[in-house]
Amino acid sequence: MRRRRRGGGRALAAGAALRCARLRWAPLGSAAGPALPAAAPGSGSGSSRRRRRRRRRRKSSTMAVEEEGLRVFQSVRIKIGEAKNLPTYPGPNKMRDCYCTVNLDQEEVFRTKIVEKSLCPFYGEDFYCEIPRTFRHLSFYIFDRDVFRRDSIIGKVAIQKEDLQKYHNRDTWFQLQHVDADSEVQGKVHLELRLSEVITDTGVVCHKLATRVLECQGLPIVNGQCDPYATVTLAGPSRSEAKKTKVKKKTNNPHFDEVFYFEVTRPSSYNKKSHFDIEDVDEVDKMEIRVDLWNASNLKFGDEFLGELRLPLKFLRQSSSYEAWYFLQPRDNGNKSLKPDDLGSLRLNVVYTEDHVFSSDYYSPLRDLLLKSADVEPVSASAAHILGEVCREKQEAAIPLVRLFLHYGRIVPFISAIANAEVKRTQDPNTIFRGNSLTSKCIDETMKLAGMHYLQVTLKPIIDEICQVHKPCEIDPVKLKDGENLENNRENLRQYVDRIFTVITKSGVSCPTVMCDIFFSLRESAAKRFQGDLDVRYTAVSSFIFLRFFAPAILSPNLFQLTPHHPDPQTSRTLTLISKTIQTLGSLSKSKSANFKESYMATFYDYFNEQKYADAVKNFLDLISSSGRRDHKSIEQPILLKEGTLKLTVKKVDGNSSCRFMIKRAQGRKRFGMKNFKKRWFRLTNHEFTYQKSKGDHPLCSIPIENILAVERLEEESFKMKNMFQVIQPERRVLYIQANNCVEAKDWIDILTKVSQCNKKRLTVYHPSAYLNGHWLCCKATADNTPGCTPCTGGLPANIQLDIDGDRETERIYSLFNLYMPKLEKMQEACGSKSVYDGPEEEEYSTFIIDDPKETYKTLKLIIEGVGTLEQEHAQYKRDKFKKTKYGSQEHPIGDKSFQTYIRQQSEISAHSI
């Protein structure tokens, strides 16, 4: 009795506060104890506490990330194939116009094109995204377009995050499920509950529940807007009491911070001389607090349900106060569904990746081992090559390898090394680079990364026109539509092919430098290996640039970001015919008509059976396979890239005089004039840049490509002449050249820049004007050796290294090695077997390429050690995280099934360790 009075005394102090019109909330653990103290209205102390709390929360979360030293990346790559057996439309037509959306919970992140008049729509679309937030479900919705009303949902596929690995990189048919508005929820809510005994001023004792709705995060946006509010209901077998928060406009992360008070128990009688009675405790155990989130809608259909939370009061018996984050849940009646077979199915391929990346120093041993792969002899004993050997598909090894080597500027020597090794193993020049080897996949991935802008400027304008104009191009007589003319269709197709072929073969100067360097290496390797085949140097390059780059980009422009969606059937057919023709034109095969199985394609190809097409392809291949990094002992003859008549003068910057001419000039002149410029015949090959008095004469001057440090435009103010450019050489020697027109000037600048792009001493800055009369006209600097004042142009349009995280790619490679550890160990056994046994190779080891068993074994040992060290670091991080993480925190709300699974796994591991 005395203890109750002490408690009642504390509660009495709170009772006075309950009389206030607006009540404030005190932080848990304050000196006020379990009662409900509140600041007076208008005092400002409550708002100050809230601001401090928010600052502490932001600060602590930031510090936690920094202390852990770990970054988490999520990404998903999805192939949306097709749907089949969709329910018929309840009308005379029965067909539907359907599209598919990809959703993270309820947030749409991608939408396919609309496939009209089909119950088995084919989409054939790929989608990739980095996921910037936590999510619970990856969902796919099939919609039926309605012209007059809101599009209707036919069905959905929802995959829980923890189940994504079950379907990793596998084509899977999923049954469509019915969609109910009450089951479509997302987001989380932050609640604080406190149950206390209170004696009011009238002397009545009761139990009160204070429910504080602090905030919500990640609520869905409904029809483009989210104006959320919450209702809080105390419900029991014989009572229900509801209260409502204010509506928060235009936010899906609302801060409510409102407190609601409920009388949980009421006294039957009370006076100062006797005890008081309360309602049956069993009744309290049957009560629950329910929080519902709604979107305040102005539509006639009413407010939209966003999610709910139900908490029984009996869990407060152990503690009078409780604070936690909760995931919102669907309504109990939100699981009503019909048979899944009624709605059809959807074919998907989902690759979900979650990377936990440590700081860079953790990856140094494995990264260094990978980056020196190009220098390992033989290259088959290198770490990068071994990764390609153990992976189930070469593609999964090629993607992180290419990105890592690009980031560190080692992609060209690595691909050169593995390509040279593959060429040595090739017996027939007609099959060179035709398989799905690690070399082919690495070059494919490099072209996709480095050549995306190249495709945009080359193909996109024509592809857009083809998709928009819809000219009939069907040349198969069997597939002709009514009213179409075969000859007209052939002419339409021929014009498209001619335009695309011309654009491609004239785009050599736009080809990215890294691709040119790789093609140069392929060309040299193939020419050395098959010296009797004069065409192999072309086919080695065309097998990539035409067969694996341009032709696939034309065939599926959506996969190369040339169009947002897969083209419609008619356009897709047109692009297929163009792609086939371009592929054959680029192959340079001797019997091209035999390449077509269809007779109508062989007939159509007769339009292009002229030598000018083959010459254009060879000139294009010559240009893109030229490089400043060349071997002077190369068996390759110089390749003519461009020639023509230009005017020039040459000078060497000298502080003692305004200039010193390298060719004959008018005597006594100190300033340049028209008489100082002489017409000369210029020739550019992949080896040197020369000029002579007339075409066919002996060269007056020869400049090796490696001596071209920069090629830039020259300001008109220098010599009062237009279309000027400068070729800068060592020792401040400059060649000033005037072209006949602006187009010719651009052509020369582009091609000279391209062939000299890889020179090691290439300048980064230059002077856009000349050095005349003792100073630079551009920056007015008087010293002749003043560094340039303007950055040099040229190179890739964007630095692709900036978009690559080297540590993340190394983490991905570690994950692959860890996944295929059994194969690494088997490869070790194969090395041991080959070292001691020279007989026939065992069948289980025959899949591995092992040229040097001892070197390969050494590399494998280093790989396994590095992977083991990183695995220990990950295991230690998980143990530390398991100790620190609180279930019910903002990062892991109550209801997080993936975290519950993680806790169960860690508990099992801990029990096993004990």
Side-chain angles (χ1 to χ4, degrees):
M1 178 66 186
R2 294 178 61 175
R3 185 171 60 225
R4 181 179 299 265
R5 285 183 178 176
R6 283 198 297 270
R10 288 195 301 270
L12 190 61
L18 287 173
R19 294 194 299 270
C20 296
R22 293 181 61 83
L23 298 171
R24 304 290 182 183
W25 188 268
L28 293 177
S30 66
L36 298 168
S43 65
S45 59
S47 60
S48 299
R49 283 194 296 271
R50 287 194 298 274
R51 285 194 296 270
R52 288 195 297 270
R53 190 181 300 113
R54 283 196 292 267
R55 284 196 296 268
R56 284 197 299 270
R57 186 162 60 238
R58 287 195 296 265
K59 182 178 179 182
S60 62
S61 63
T62 303
M63 289 175 62
V65 173
E66 292 175 355
E67 287 171 1
E68 291 172 356
L70 189 81
R71 296 173 295 148
V72 180
F73 299 91
Q74 300 176 102
S75 64
V76 64
R77 188 181 301 275
I78 302 165
K79 293 181 180 180
I80 305 173
E82 59 185 315
K84 67 178 182 180
N85 301 328
L86 298 181
T88 58
Y89 184 77
N93 187 16
K94 298 187 181 302
M95 294 291 106
R96 294 181 182 269
D97 299 339
C98 299
Y99 62 90
C100 179
T101 66
V102 181
N103 296 53
L104 293 174
D105 297 322
Q106 297 303 302
E107 181 184 5
E108 182 181 319
V109 294
F110 177 73
R111 179 178 295 197
T112 69
K113 64 177 180 180
I114 297 173
V115 178
E116 297 180 344
K117 299 178 181 179
S118 175
L119 297 179
C120 297
F122 177 80
Y123 298 106
E125 301 207 25
D126 285 27
F127 170 67
Y128 172 84
C129 75
E130 297 283 336
I131 302 174
R133 62 170 179 84
T134 59
F135 69 100
R136 298 163 67 187
H137 294 87
L138 180 65
S139 303
F140 304 84
Y141 292 82
I142 299 293
F143 284 84
D144 182 18
R145 181 183 62 178
D146 196 313
V147 178
F148 303 105
R149 294 176 295 177
R150 184 186 299 178
D151 296 349
S152 58
I153 301 177
I154 297 175
K156 74 169 184 177
V157 172
I159 308 174
Q160 293 185 357
K161 179 181 177 180
E162 51 269 25
D163 293 336
L164 286 171
Q165 288 302 321
K166 296 179 183 178
Y167 312 105
H168 182 80
N169 203 19
R170 290 187 303 162
D171 278 359
T172 308
W173 284 96
F174 294 89
Q175 293 292 331
L176 292 176
Q177 306 292 329
H178 279 277
V179 176
D180 190 304
D182 290 339
S183 68
E184 301 296 289
V185 301
Q186 77 172 51
K188 52 190 176 184
V189 60
H190 188 191
L191 293 181
E192 193 168 357
L193 304 175
R194 182 171 293 172
L195 184 64
S196 57
E197 186 181 272
V198 179
I199 301 176
T200 65
D201 290 345
T202 60
V204 179
V205 176
C206 63
H207 285 73
K208 295 221 178 249
L209 174 68
T211 303
R212 183 185 183 194
V213 184
L214 287 97
E215 61 180 310
C216 294
Q217 286 189 354
L219 298 179
I221 297 176
V222 182
N223 298 323
Q225 59 97 31
C226 187
D227 298 332
Y229 67 91
T231 60
V232 183
T233 306
L234 179 65
S238 58
R239 57 182 290 196
S240 179
E241 183 181 358
K243 299 182 180 181
K244 174 183 171 182
T245 68
K246 294 179 179 179
V247 176
K248 299 295 181 180
K249 294 286 187 179
K250 298 180 181 179
T251 176
N252 65 335
N253 298 307
H255 286 263
F256 296 109
D257 204 3
E258 296 189 39
V259 185
F260 303 98
Y261 298 93
F262 300 92
E263 286 189 358
V264 178
T265 61
R266 299 184 181 91
S268 58
S269 64
Y270 175 78
N271 58 56
K272 293 184 179 180
K273 296 182 180 179
S274 64
H275 297 286
F276 58 88
D277 300 323
I278 63 173
E279 294 178 359
D280 188 0
V281 176
D282 292 337
E283 291 293 317
V284 178
D285 288 346
K286 295 178 182 178
M287 289 185 177
E288 68 176 9
I289 194 78
R290 190 178 77 241
V291 180
D292 296 271
L293 270 296
W294 299 85
N295 177 45
S297 174
N298 296 323
L299 301 176
K300 62 181 181 179
F301 304 107
D303 297 347
E304 290 97 349
F305 175 76
L306 301 181
E308 73 171 11
L309 178 66
R310 293 174 180 262
L311 298 173
L313 290 191
K314 61 182 179 181
F315 82 92
L316 285 174
R317 286 188 141 192
Q318 291 88 13
S319 174
S320 61
S321 61
Y322 196 81
E323 178 186 6
W325 283 84
Y326 299 85
F327 272 131
L328 293 172
Q329 302 296 332
R331 279 178 176 170
D332 287 342
N333 63 347
N335 295 322
K336 294 180 181 178
S337 62
L338 301 176
K339 293 181 180 180
D341 294 339
D342 296 340
L343 300 177
S345 54
L346 179 65
R347 179 167 59 87
L348 301 168
N349 186 306
V350 180
V351 178
Y352 171 73
T353 306
E354 189 171 302
D355 300 318
H356 297 259
V357 182
F358 292 107
S359 57
S360 186
D361 54 301
Y362 283 81
Y363 300 104
S364 294
L366 181 59
R367 182 177 58 242
D368 295 344
L369 188 63
L370 289 162
L371 291 178
K372 69 177 185 180
S373 294
D375 304 322
V376 175
E377 286 290 343
V379 73
S380 60
S382 67
H385 194 277
I386 289 172
L387 179 65
E389 288 297 296
V390 298
C391 283
R392 184 166 59 94
E393 295 181 4
K394 304 296 184 185
Q395 182 73 11
E396 59 182 341
I399 292 174
L401 284 175
V402 166
R403 295 175 69 86
L404 179 71
F405 284 112
L406 271 173
H407 180 70
Y408 288 100
R410 297 284 296 163
I411 188 65
V412 175
F414 169 65
I415 289 182
S416 298
I418 60 175
N420 191 48
E422 182 174 334
V423 169
K424 289 179 179 178
R425 291 192 294 268
T426 304
Q427 302 301 320
D428 184 358
N430 295 317
T431 62
I432 192 168
F433 299 128
R434 293 302 173 99
N436 289 322
S437 62
L438 181 64
T439 304
S440 299
K441 293 299 181 183
C442 284
I443 296 176
D444 288 351
E445 190 63 25
T446 304
M447 290 191 299
K448 282 184 180 179
L449 286 172
M452 199 59 69
H453 179 78
Y454 180 34
L455 285 176
Q456 293 283 330
V457 299
T458 306
L459 293 181
K460 186 169 173 46
I462 302 180
I463 297 293
D464 287 343
E465 179 184 332
I466 294 172
C467 293
Q468 293 167 8
V469 176
H470 290 98
K471 282 185 180 181
C473 295
E474 181 56 68
I475 58 175
D476 184 356
V478 178
K479 295 182 179 180
L480 280 180
K481 296 180 180 179
D482 293 340
E484 289 186 352
N485 182 278
L486 183 60
E487 290 303 319
N488 290 343
N489 288 6
R490 282 176 179 166
E491 180 59 22
N492 291 339
L493 184 62
R494 187 195 65 78
Q495 290 179 8
Y496 278 145
V497 171
D498 226 0
R499 287 175 60 191
I500 289 180
F501 178 80
T502 302
V503 166
I504 290 174
T505 53
K506 289 186 177 296
S507 68
V509 295
S510 301
C511 186
T513 304
V514 66
M515 290 171 60
C516 293
D517 289 347
I518 291 171
F519 295 151
F520 174 77
S521 175
L522 299 181
R523 181 189 183 105
E524 286 223 316
S525 296
K528 289 179 181 178
R529 175 72 175 86
F530 302 103
Q531 297 187 27
D533 192 326
L534 298 179
D535 289 332
V536 73
R537 65 185 63 192
Y538 295 113
T539 56
V541 178
S542 67
S543 63
F544 287 103
I545 193 68
F546 280 102
L547 273 66
R548 294 175 176 265
F549 188 62
F550 283 121
I554 297 168
L555 182 65
S556 303
N558 57 305
L559 301 184
F560 292 80
Q561 300 177 20
L562 297 176
T563 59
H565 301 297
H566 187 73
D568 61 79
Q570 179 181 332
T571 304
S572 182
R573 174 63 175 168
T574 299
L575 294 175
T576 299
L577 297 173
I578 296 172
S579 178
K580 283 184 176 182
T581 312
I582 292 295
Q583 181 174 319
T584 306
L585 280 169
S587 66
L588 292 174
S589 58
K590 296 178 176 61
S591 178
K592 295 181 180 178
S593 297
N595 291 342
F596 297 109
K597 298 178 181 178
E598 308 92 343
S599 59
Y600 61 86
M601 283 299 300
T603 302
F604 173 71
Y605 195 80
D606 289 339
Y607 287 119
F608 305 97
N609 267 329
E610 298 181 27
Q611 187 59 35
K612 66 176 183 179
Y613 290 102
D615 292 342
V617 169
K618 288 185 176 182
N619 290 336
F620 170 69
L621 296 176
D622 284 337
L623 178 56
I624 64 172
S625 59
S626 300
S627 174
R629 291 175 182 164
R630 60 184 181 84
D631 182 1
H632 288 281
K633 297 179 181 179
S634 172
I635 62 172
E636 182 181 279
Q637 295 297 316
I639 301 165
L640 178 63
L641 302 177
K642 191 173 179 65
E643 61 181 348
T645 301
L646 299 169
K647 291 182 180 179
L648 90 156
T649 190
V650 186
K651 77 154 190 158
K652 179 177 180 180
V653 176
D654 192 331
N656 299 323
S657 62
S658 61
C659 63
R660 180 160 59 89
F661 292 101
M662 302 298 293
I663 60 174
K664 185 177 181 181
R665 67 176 178 88
Q667 298 295 319
R669 293 181 180 268
K670 290 191 176 181
R671 284 193 60 85
F672 286 104
M674 288 295 294
K675 292 184 179 180
N676 301 119
F677 286 85
K678 307 294 183 182
K679 281 190 176 183
R680 295 290 181 258
W681 183 263
F682 283 81
R683 280 175 56 91
L684 174 65
T685 71
N686 61 325
H687 290 182
E688 59 185 359
F689 183 44
T690 63
Y691 61 85
Q692 50 253 35
K693 193 169 184 178
S694 301
K695 184 177 180 180
D697 292 349
H698 185 76
L700 299 173
C701 179
S702 175
I703 305 171
I705 294 299
E706 55 265 29
N707 284 352
I708 299 177
L709 306 186
V711 182
E712 300 290 345
R713 292 187 180 276
L714 190 70
E715 296 290 346
E716 187 178 337
E717 66 170 349
S718 298
F719 307 118
K720 309 301 180 187
M721 297 166 64
K722 295 183 177 181
N723 307 320
M724 292 283 299
F725 63 93
Q726 52 184 319
V727 179
I728 305 172
Q729 306 165 63
E731 300 178 358
R732 302 195 302 278
R733 197 181 302 272
V734 185
L735 189 70
Y736 292 125
I737 303 174
Q738 183 189 30
N740 295 320
N741 53 63
C742 60
V743 175
E744 188 179 47
K746 183 181 183 303
D747 288 345
W748 277 103
I749 293 171
D750 286 344
I751 197 166
L752 283 165
T753 300
K754 183 58 57 181
V755 297
S756 63
Q757 191 79 52
C758 301
N759 292 343
K760 296 180 179 179
K761 296 182 180 180
R762 186 171 173 79
L763 299 179
T764 57
V765 291
Y766 78 106
H767 289 285
S769 295
Y771 183 84
L772 297 173
N773 298 327
H775 69 277
W776 292 100
L777 299 181
C778 45
C779 58
K780 308 304 180 185
T782 56
D784 62 311
N785 58 353
T786 302
C789 56
T790 304
C792 288
T793 57
L796 289 174
N799 186 359
I800 57 178
Q801 297 181 12
L802 297 179
D803 297 328
I804 297 174
D805 187 326
D807 296 334
R808 184 180 181 185
E809 302 308 325
T810 312
E811 168 65 26
R812 287 183 169 181
I813 292 171
Y814 148 75
S815 299
L816 288 172
F817 275 134
N818 199 31
L819 177 65
Y820 294 106
M821 183 59 70
K823 282 194 174 182
L824 288 173
E825 293 169 348
K826 184 170 286 188
M827 198 170 183
Q828 267 192 323
E829 295 175 8
C831 291
S833 175
K834 285 197 171 190
S835 297
V836 300
Y837 178 64
D838 294 331
E841 190 173 30
E842 295 186 32
E843 186 176 351
E844 61 175 332
Y845 301 146
S846 61
T847 57
F848 301 122
I849 296 176
I850 302 175
D851 296 323
D852 189 328
K854 291 184 179 179
E855 285 298 320
T856 306
Y857 186 88
K858 290 179 184 177
T859 306
L860 284 165
K861 184 178 179 182
L862 293 173
I863 291 172
I864 293 172
E865 289 175 357
V867 170
T869 302
L870 282 171
E871 187 177 9
Q872 291 176 3
E873 295 291 347
H874 278 284
Q876 184 61 47
Y877 167 76
K878 290 179 180 178
R879 287 192 293 268
D880 294 343
K881 179 182 176 183
F882 179 67
K883 294 176 183 177
K884 296 176 183 177
T885 302
K886 176 185 175 183
Y887 190 47
S889 63
Q890 184 176 0
E891 293 77 17
H892 300 286
I894 294 174
D896 185 351
K897 293 184 179 179
S898 62
F899 185 66
Q900 290 175 334
T901 304
Y902 170 73
I903 290 177
R904 185 168 59 252
Q905 291 173 348
Q906 293 301 312
S907 300
E908 292 172 356
I909 292 172
S910 300
H912 179 72
S913 301
I914 292 172

